[in-house]
Amino acid sequence: MKARVHVMLKNGVLDPQGEAVRHALGSLGFDGVNGVRQGKVIELDLAEGTDEATVTEMCEKLLANTVIESYSVEMG
């Protein structure tokens, strides 16, 4: 069983990496990009029977800094 966790900075939290990507895109001639938010994807290979509640607990305790980041979980 696999799970995919998407972690993003919350709205209102500055994203310097996203800004760097936006500036680089502009330098390459892609002028239509007004903003970039960068995040991360964590793929977990789980033992059979591991439920979404357990993955959520993993996120709350380690995988995401819930003060400044939000996350979503895809099981499958």
Side-chain angles (χ1 to χ4, degrees):
M1 171 180 265
K2 297 208 182 272
R4 183 174 285 161
V5 179
H6 298 267
V7 181
M8 295 290 294
L9 289 171
K10 290 181 178 179
N11 289 335
V13 176
L14 294 177
D15 185 352
Q17 290 178 323
E19 270 303 292
V21 170
R22 186 182 68 78
H23 285 295
L25 289 170
S27 296
L28 293 171
F30 298 103
D31 298 324
V33 180
N34 294 325
V36 175
R37 303 290 288 175
Q38 185 169 321
K40 58 187 171 187
V41 176
I42 302 166
E43 291 187 354
L44 303 169
D45 189 7
L46 304 168
E48 261 323 298
T50 304
D51 60 7
E52 188 170 343
T54 301
V55 177
T56 297
E57 186 177 356
M58 292 176 189
C59 292
E60 293 287 327
K61 291 185 175 183
L62 176 68
L63 301 178
N65 177 350
T66 56
V67 173
I68 61 170
E69 296 174 323
S70 59
Y71 63 88
S72 63
V73 176
E74 291 178 26
M75 301 291 289

